[in-house]
Amino acid sequence: MADLIQKGLAWLDDQRHAHMTQTVLYVRDTENASYIVALLATIGRTEFEQVDEFGIVHKVQSRDFLVRAADLVLAGAPTLPKAGDRIRETVGTQTFVYEVMAPGNEPPWRHSDPYRKALRIHTKHVATE
């Protein structure tokens, strides 16, 4: 018998992808080249808590982009997000630029489902053009 949970999650991901996404540009700059891929992403957020050296808890919120792992292909090869990459989101006449990062020792991305089909990429707004 097939894994019903896996089938159900695949159906839900298809619905998210079809009805809750917008096109963004994923950009990775290297010393030799720039790589850009258009992705369909669902916008989300994650709240992180950080404790400073005085014991004060600070809440930090990231803008998250949920994308299909199979869609993140740079230079013809599947890849994973990397701190320092950028995501460009155009709204009307403005383009918001987000850098892939997470506060403290948190990873800048994580799988968003148990079958590793979707990625949740944590970012911080760094520019508006």
Side-chain angles (χ1 to χ4, degrees):
M1 182 173 189
D3 185 341
L4 282 167
I5 299 293
Q6 184 175 7
K7 282 184 176 181
L9 286 174
W11 181 85
L12 283 172
D13 184 63
D14 288 344
Q15 298 307 303
R16 177 195 62 79
H17 193 73
H19 302 291
M20 297 177 61
T21 57
Q22 63 189 55
T23 302
V24 298
L25 295 179
Y26 191 94
V27 181
R28 177 172 292 167
D29 290 321
T30 66
E31 291 181 16
N32 301 324
S34 289
Y35 302 99
I36 301 172
V37 64
L39 299 172
L40 289 175
T42 301
I43 308 301
R45 69 174 184 238
T46 299
E47 282 196 8
F48 295 95
E49 290 186 355
Q50 289 185 291
V51 179
D52 67 16
E53 66 271 12
F54 303 107
I56 298 173
V57 177
H58 299 273
K59 289 188 179 189
V60 178
Q61 190 177 96
S62 77
R63 184 169 184 89
D64 295 346
F65 294 88
L66 283 79
V67 301
R68 287 185 167 166
D71 293 345
L72 187 53
V73 177
L74 299 175
T79 190
L80 292 171
K82 189 167 81 171
D85 291 350
R86 301 229 167 165
I87 296 177
R88 300 173 59 83
E89 176 188 7
T90 300
V91 179
T93 60
Q94 291 186 307
T95 298
F96 299 94
V97 182
Y98 298 89
E99 187 168 326
V100 176
M101 67 172 69
N105 293 325
E106 296 291 330
W109 66 274
R110 63 182 166 90
H111 287 103
S112 189
D113 64 291
Y115 300 99
R116 299 182 176 177
K117 301 291 183 194
L119 303 171
R120 176 177 286 269
I121 306 169
H122 306 299
T123 67
K124 178 182 178 184
H125 180 251
V126 294
T128 302
E129 300 172 349

